[in-house]
Amino acid sequence: MHKRFRFYVLMVLTLGLAMLMGACGQSASHAGYSGDEQLSETSAAAFSSDTSSSAETVIFHAGNGDIKVPKQPKRIVDLTDFYTGYFLALGVQPVGVSTGAIENPYLKGKLDGVEDIGTDPSPEKILELNPDLIITYSGTEGIDKLEQIAPVVAIDFGKKNYKDQMIDFGKLTGKEEEAKAWVDQWNQKINDLKPKVQAALGDKTVSILNPYAKGLFVFGHNYGRGGEIIYDEFGLKAPPEAQKAAIDSGTGWASISIEKLPEFSGDIIFTCPWSGDTTDPKIVYDSAIWKGLPAVKNGHVFQLNPKGDTYNDPVTLEAQLNFITDSLLSVTS
């Protein structure tokens, strides 16, 4: 996830005893465009000239209202990081994406030739790419500046599950049939794997745990790190305390102290260092409490990728599905 998004998450955690990410926090000011930034007269003139064509448009229902967008956008600039994989899964390659998307290992090789616009691109930088559509988050500061360049679709982060979001992006890009096909193929994969996983694990519980500066984050069903697959698709259970705090609550996460770790630790653990700070995870991993967990003693701990597994886009989910399935089935092999 990119630094801007991580910083927002940490601010929310500090001020509200909560985390809303992410990659991640996934979400008011995901992109910063200072109110002092103005498009130059030359840039504004270029924009006016470039967008004067009578290309066919449609109305798309976005987080920032009903937006008139090209029926089949050709030059998308995606400022979100977390949604880039949706476009790639639809066969639509943006012309510009944020650094966080470039750094997602699961998107490697799929963004060749795409401009890395950084973490806080200026309107002028975006204008250089001559976009016909810009994707950002609801609440992004400076949307009015972006709207001088191209139609802006703002996404309410996490409001829709990934299947509904995929269909939505299919409508946005003129790829609705491709989006439906992806959902159908995904559902078939889950239907094939779910009985095998459930039969192999029985009533074993699963935890997703990330050490961070003040203890651990316990993740649930809708904040990446495989939670969508483990809990929603495979229907596996977390330990009762984790189930209650991170899943049944609807929040998708909980923050705990290391002393409470045994209550939130399942028979199987997926873990990785929290990517939102630089705390040494060995504070947790080398502790007597961690080493005393049954999952650790039994070798049932699996390391996630801190740079990629925070995402839950279709490309990332497909990669996660293979790793999570193999990991879970290895417990009984």
Side-chain angles (χ1 to χ4, degrees):
M1 84 187 79
H2 57 66
K3 295 178 180 177
R4 178 173 67 252
F5 205 22
R6 289 200 300 263
F7 176 74
Y8 173 76
V9 177
L10 293 175
M11 286 294 294
V12 173
L13 282 168
T14 302
L15 299 177
L17 297 178
M19 178 196 70
L20 183 62
M21 291 185 309
C24 273
Q26 281 170 164
S27 301
S29 50
H30 302 281
Y33 302 98
S34 166
D36 294 333
E37 288 181 352
Q38 299 289 340
L39 290 175
S40 66
E41 291 183 7
T42 302
S43 297
F47 162 71
S48 177
S49 173
D50 289 341
T51 58
S52 61
S53 65
S54 57
E56 188 175 358
T57 60
V58 295
I59 299 299
F60 182 79
H61 304 292
N64 55 329
D66 292 344
I67 309 300
K68 184 183 290 186
V69 301
K71 187 174 183 180
Q72 291 184 317
K74 303 297 184 184
R75 298 188 61 81
I76 297 173
V77 169
D78 174 26
L79 306 176
T80 68
D81 286 1
F82 284 89
Y83 290 109
T84 302
Y86 286 89
F87 297 108
L88 297 176
L90 289 168
V92 177
Q93 190 182 63
V95 295
V97 300
S98 298
T99 300
I102 297 290
E103 292 178 346
N104 181 349
Y106 299 125
L107 303 186
K108 186 176 181 180
K110 299 179 183 296
L111 292 171
D112 294 346
V114 176
E115 183 78 12
D116 179 354
I117 57 176
T119 57
D120 291 291
S122 67
E124 281 75 15
K125 176 68 174 178
I126 296 169
L127 180 63
E128 289 175 3
L129 296 175
N130 190 28
D132 56 7
L133 182 64
I134 298 171
I135 310 297
T136 189
Y137 289 107
S138 295
T140 296
E141 182 182 351
I143 282 183
D144 58 326
K145 305 299 184 299
L146 299 178
E147 289 171 341
Q148 296 178 49
I149 301 171
V152 176
V153 166
I155 307 299
D156 293 328
F157 180 78
K159 184 175 182 179
K160 297 182 179 181
N161 67 46
Y162 61 90
K163 295 177 188 178
D164 291 341
Q165 190 66 67
M166 184 64 161
I167 297 299
D168 229 26
F169 279 138
K171 295 175 181 177
L172 176 63
T173 58
K175 299 276 189 177
E176 192 168 1
E177 291 305 312
E178 288 87 341
K180 291 178 180 177
W182 184 89
V183 172
D184 289 343
Q185 291 170 6
W186 175 261
N187 286 340
Q188 186 58 56
K189 290 178 183 178
I190 297 299
N191 291 338
D192 291 343
L193 294 171
K194 183 176 180 177
K196 301 174 185 177
V197 171
Q198 289 189 337
L201 265 64
D203 59 359
K204 289 184 174 65
T205 57
V206 184
S207 294
I208 305 173
L209 304 170
N210 278 191
Y212 84 114
K214 296 182 180 180
L216 295 100
F217 288 128
V218 181
F219 289 100
H221 59 305
N222 61 358
Y223 269 84
R225 298 166 180 82
E228 290 82 1
I229 296 169
I230 292 167
Y231 300 121
D232 274 354
E233 299 293 9
F234 286 164
L236 303 178
K237 294 295 183 182
E241 289 300 316
Q243 181 76 30
K244 180 171 63 176
I247 299 176
D248 295 343
S249 66
T251 60
W253 60 270
S255 176
I256 63 170
S257 65
I258 192 171
E259 290 76 17
K260 290 193 173 185
L261 182 54
E263 301 172 44
F264 288 79
S265 176
D267 301 303
I268 300 164
I269 295 173
F270 288 88
T271 187
C272 67
W274 167 239
S275 55
D277 62 40
T278 58
T279 305
D280 188 349
K282 290 183 178 180
I283 295 173
V284 171
Y285 294 150
D286 287 349
S287 70
I289 294 176
W290 177 268
K291 291 180 178 180
L293 298 175
V296 176
K297 290 181 176 180
N298 294 328
H300 295 165
V301 176
F302 302 98
Q303 283 287 333
L304 298 167
N305 186 314
K307 281 197 172 182
D309 285 316
T310 54
Y311 295 77
N312 56 4
D313 62 83
V315 175
T316 298
L317 284 169
E318 289 176 351
Q320 288 175 342
L321 181 62
N322 295 330
F323 172 71
I324 289 170
T325 301
D326 291 344
S327 299
L328 291 172
L329 293 180
S330 73
V331 169
T332 57
S333 62

